[in-house]
Amino acid sequence: MARERKISLTELFAQTKQLLLEHGYEGFTFGLLADRLGVARSAIYKYFENKEELITAYMVDEMEQVFEKLTRIHDFPAFEEQFRFLLDLILYHDDLHEMIAIGKKIPETHPKVKENKRRLAQFHERMYDEVQPVIQRGKREGKMKPHLPDRVVLGYIFQSAAVPHFPGISLAEWAESIREIIMHGVLNRN
Amino acid sequence: MARERKISLTELFAQTKQLLLEHGYEGFTFGLLADRLGVARSAIYKYFENKEELITAYMVDEMEQVFEKLTRIHDFPAFEEQFRFLLDLILYHDDLHEMIAIGKKIPETHPKVKENKRRLAQFHERMYDEVQPVIQRGKREGKMKPHLPDRVVLGYIFQSAAVPHFPGISLAEWAESIREIIMHGVLNRN
DNA sequence: GCTGAAAGTGACGAATGTGTCACTTTGCGC
DNA sequence: GCGCAAAGTGACACATTCGTCACTTTCAGC
């Protein structure tokens, strides 16, 4: 019973992501976004009251997708496979941690923003809950060093996605190297 | 033959760093900085023409200090000590990589900015040149895995500083864990 | 004390971002 | 076709940042 949409939510979130990565949270404006979508700035206000709400909504959406993928970790029977899956998921998702950093800066101006941030924090916890058993299983089976704190191991794996890509080194080679370092370190076994 | 300074360059750079970490490049303004320094905004223009110039100048200053420390790596005779020194330097300098990321966003509006960015890039190269021999020495002495690309190893070590600190885990314990992972990985030797 | 030069101030016009609102456009159900 | 409601537009008032400039303050040397 209404006019056809010019703005697709998918496209809007995609461009939001792009702009956030390029300009950071404070450099993100409705004007920039509207230009990219080929639409008037005021049109975006039909969907989101301000940039805090829009950005947190985008992040919830992104988190949902990643979480969805992550839960498939339980489809693998062996620890080694689970660990490998986790590393792949994170290494080929290298912009997530930047988003997390940006998320921390968003002030809770409106109730909707507060609600979105609450959901984000919840996702974070749920992801941790999902993965920690894998880590503990690795320790229990004697495959992972027991004295390393779980949170540090997870934070470490997560952060590895941010290691810069250098020209001359392919993505696959890069990922393989990072995976090897996480598992066995840079030094030879003495 | 002039009036006493109210603005100290040291203090100015310190607050610049603070503000950059809190608000990012695009959220940094002369107004914010002037407030923190207890000075009029226009006073800062006596020293820097705009924020690009100020920020790049600060970064050059910071880089100089880090580089200065880094060169002491050659004071250590053994590879193990050099490697340990490198890790300590980076792990206890955990905001550097954020600065690098910010540096990439700065547009070259003025000649002075261009010059500063040139010097920054040069520092980057010089730091790499300083450390690469250590990596190669480790490989030559059979202590480091030869198939890992030098740049990935260095990028990796550098990036490790960004692993988040969790409450309940002391800085020392954190650093010790990270160091262990970099050297030998998270898995037990099968 | 007078002077000159560096240090700092306050106010201005220009540019950009924000949120809102009256308005137009579009398409579905009747 | 008519009407209605959702989608999108353009302009307005307000706030913030930017760079500049004429001005005042301070202090060292004469």
Side-chain angles (χ1 to χ4, degrees):
Chain A
M1 27 144 109
R3 166 180 180 177
E4 202 182 352
R5 284 200 167 187
K6 221 172 141 185
I7 298 179
S8 99
L9 252 206
T10 314
E11 176 66 4
L12 186 145
F13 281 158
Q15 294 297 341
T16 297
K17 177 177 188 171
Q18 274 290 111
L19 286 174
L20 280 176
L21 291 176
E22 284 171 34
H23 299 277
Y25 167 64
E26 326 233 11
F28 178 96
T29 69
F30 271 28
L32 276 174
L33 180 58
D35 282 353
R36 294 240 182 151
L37 295 173
V39 105
R41 184 175 58 89
S42 52
I44 305 178
Y45 284 93
K46 284 269 148 69
Y47 302 92
F48 302 96
E49 291 181 15
N50 50 48
K51 81 171 176 178
E52 284 77 30
E53 199 203 316
L54 184 152
I55 293 175
T56 51
Y58 151 68
M59 286 181 170
V60 166
D61 179 80
E62 178 97 18
M63 264 294 210
E64 256 160 19
Q65 293 178 39
V66 174
F67 184 76
E68 172 62 29
K69 284 189 202 162
L70 180 65
T71 56
R72 289 187 223 145
I73 198 170
H74 304 299
D75 298 348
F76 299 93
F79 166 76
E80 284 81 357
E81 290 170 302
Q82 292 185 317
F83 195 66
R84 166 104 193 187
F85 173 80
L86 176 63
L87 293 186
D88 273 350
L89 183 69
I90 288 171
L91 292 185
Y92 289 98
H93 240 291
D94 49 336
D95 27 27
L96 254 192
H97 65 293
E98 248 197 271
M99 286 301 162
I100 306 256
I102 289 174
K104 285 183 190 159
K105 284 198 214 157
I106 302 177
E108 297 179 3
T109 44
H110 285 25
K112 288 190 187 175
V113 176
K114 191 160 183 168
E115 166 62 10
N116 280 341
K117 291 196 77 173
R118 198 189 57 73
R119 294 183 59 191
L120 277 177
Q122 217 177 22
F123 264 118
H124 220 253
E125 272 314 303
R126 281 170 64 198
M127 285 184 71
Y128 182 73
D129 291 346
E130 210 72 16
V131 177
Q132 199 189 17
V134 175
I135 301 295
Q136 289 183 333
R137 177 182 176 187
K139 289 181 177 177
R140 202 168 49 245
E141 294 181 5
K143 288 164 183 160
M144 184 173 287
K145 294 174 178 163
H147 57 281
L148 297 175
D150 291 359
R151 291 206 96 101
V152 175
V153 171
L154 286 176
Y156 193 84
I157 292 175
F158 195 65
Q159 198 59 37
S160 297
V163 175
H165 298 55
F166 295 102
I169 298 170
S170 72
L171 179 59
E173 192 183 357
W174 172 85
E176 192 46 58
S177 295
I178 301 292
R179 194 159 29 223
E180 155 106 29
I181 299 178
I182 291 177
M183 295 194 292
H184 304 113
V186 298
L187 298 187
N188 275 324
R189 342 193 147 182
N190 51 325
Chain B
M1 28 144 103
R3 164 179 183 178
E4 200 183 352
R5 283 199 167 187
K6 220 172 142 185
I7 298 179
S8 99
L9 253 204
T10 314
E11 176 66 5
L12 186 145
F13 281 158
Q15 295 296 342
T16 296
K17 178 177 187 172
Q18 274 289 111
L19 285 174
L20 280 176
L21 290 177
E22 284 171 34
H23 299 277
Y25 167 63
E26 327 233 12
F28 178 95
T29 69
F30 272 27
L32 276 174
L33 180 58
D35 282 354
R36 295 241 182 148
L37 295 174
V39 106
R41 184 177 58 91
S42 53
I44 304 177
Y45 283 92
K46 283 270 146 68
Y47 301 94
F48 302 96
E49 291 180 15
N50 50 49
K51 81 172 176 177
E52 285 77 29
E53 199 203 317
L54 184 150
I55 293 175
T56 51
Y58 150 69
M59 286 181 170
V60 166
D61 179 80
E62 179 97 18
M63 264 294 209
E64 257 161 18
Q65 291 179 40
V66 175
F67 185 76
E68 171 62 29
K69 285 189 201 160
L70 180 65
T71 56
R72 290 188 221 143
I73 198 170
H74 303 299
D75 297 350
F76 299 94
F79 166 75
E80 284 80 358
E81 290 169 302
Q82 292 185 316
F83 194 67
R84 166 104 194 188
F85 173 80
L86 177 64
L87 292 186
D88 273 350
L89 182 69
I90 288 171
L91 292 184
Y92 289 97
H93 241 290
D94 49 336
D95 27 29
L96 255 192
H97 66 294
E98 248 197 271
M99 286 302 162
I100 306 258
I102 290 175
K104 285 183 191 161
K105 285 197 214 158
I106 302 177
E108 296 179 5
T109 45
H110 285 26
K112 288 189 187 175
V113 176
K114 190 160 184 170
E115 166 62 12
N116 280 342
K117 290 196 76 174
R118 198 190 55 74
R119 292 183 60 191
L120 277 177
Q122 215 177 23
F123 264 119
H124 221 252
E125 272 314 303
R126 282 170 64 198
M127 286 184 72
Y128 183 72
D129 291 347
E130 210 72 18
V131 178
Q132 198 187 17
V134 175
I135 301 296
Q136 288 183 333
R137 178 182 173 185
K139 289 181 176 176
R140 203 168 50 245
E141 295 182 4
K143 287 164 182 161
M144 183 173 288
K145 295 175 179 161
H147 56 281
L148 297 174
D150 291 0
R151 292 205 95 103
V152 174
V153 172
L154 287 176
Y156 193 84
I157 292 175
F158 195 65
Q159 198 59 37
S160 298
V163 175
H165 298 55
F166 295 104
I169 299 171
S170 73
L171 179 60
E173 192 183 355
W174 172 85
E176 191 47 57
S177 295
I178 301 293
R179 195 159 29 223
E180 156 107 27
I181 300 178
I182 291 176
M183 294 193 293
H184 305 112
V186 299
L187 298 187
N188 275 326
R189 340 191 152 185
N190 50 325

